Amino acid sequence: MISKKTEISPDKALERLEALCAKSERCTEEVRRKLYAWRIGPEDIDSIISSLKERRYIDDERFAHAYVRDKWLFSHWGRRKILMGLAAKRIPSDMAKEAVDEEIDQDRYYAGLLHAACARLLRLGGVEAGYEGGTKVLRSLVSAGYEPSLAARAVREAAMQIADEAEVYGGESD
């Protein structure tokens, strides 16, 4: 059975979007797509979006900051993946870069990357994982959006930390 989307009035669409935007951050592009799905005309879309922006239901800069915080803290994405996600939502690149720079502390970023590298290496067998394990970890970190050079450094450092710990604990058991 093919479902038929019903058209709604611009006033009803505005009312629904106010409730939606009050619950969670939305960007202009998300709202625009929703209005197209509701079959609202282009002139009404522009006036609805303008109204929402004037009353601060939509603020792309505020959205960018919230998006960066959520993706970094909860999804553990790297900078590159976050920037690509913001680009997909049509957030201007300068605004996206500014949000990333302000929301992600350099030291915490690398500490999180190092922690992820250690955890993934340990899952693969630690020091015994060897070159193949390190390569797998590197690929997974790069696919999570971390910069390749930074991820490679973290994998090397994680392998050294794991080897040092194995040496310390191995030496005590003798």
Side-chain angles (χ1 to χ4, degrees), residues 12-167:
K12 185 69 175 173
L14 179 61
E15 186 180 309
R16 283 187 184 180
L17 287 170
E18 286 171 350
L20 186 69
C21 292
K23 289 180 187 174
S24 66
E25 289 295 336
R26 303 286 176 185
C27 67
T28 303
E29 185 62 20
E30 289 174 336
V31 170
R32 187 177 305 282
R33 286 181 187 163
K34 189 157 285 296
L35 289 167
Y36 278 123
W38 290 341
R39 299 182 182 174
I40 303 294
E43 62 284 340
D44 290 328
I45 288 176
D46 291 337
S47 68
I48 289 171
I49 289 175
S50 293
S51 173
L52 291 170
K53 282 184 175 183
E54 283 172 16
R55 294 179 299 142
R56 297 196 37 96
Y57 279 102
I58 300 175
D59 183 339
D60 285 343
E61 187 173 351
R62 188 177 64 214
F63 171 82
H65 284 269
Y67 185 89
V68 170
R69 271 191 311 273
D70 286 352
K71 297 304 180 187
W72 161 238
L73 294 174
F74 302 118
S75 301
H76 306 289
W77 285 8
R79 283 189 205 105
R80 293 175 60 197
K81 191 169 184 177
I82 292 170
L83 289 170
M84 287 190 298
L86 288 169
K89 303 225 180 249
R90 298 185 185 219
I91 301 296
S93 61
D94 56 335
M95 187 184 295
K97 177 107 175 65
E98 180 183 318
V100 166
D101 290 344
E102 287 179 17
E103 295 296 332
I104 300 177
D105 176 63
Q106 292 289 88
D107 295 333
R108 288 185 63 207
Y109 183 75
Y110 186 74
L113 173 58
L114 184 58
H115 176 76
C118 283
R120 290 173 185 175
L121 264 177
L122 286 171
R123 257 187 269 133
L124 291 174
V127 179
E128 290 78 29
Y131 177 78
E132 291 85 19
T135 304
K136 283 182 182 180
V137 171
L138 179 60
R139 277 196 312 263
S140 73
L141 293 172
V142 171
S143 72
Y146 291 97
E147 298 81 347
S149 60
L150 201 57
R153 188 174 111 208
V155 169
R156 282 192 304 275
E157 195 173 323
M160 287 190 302
Q161 282 182 6
I162 291 169
D164 289 346
E165 286 179 18
E167 193 176 294

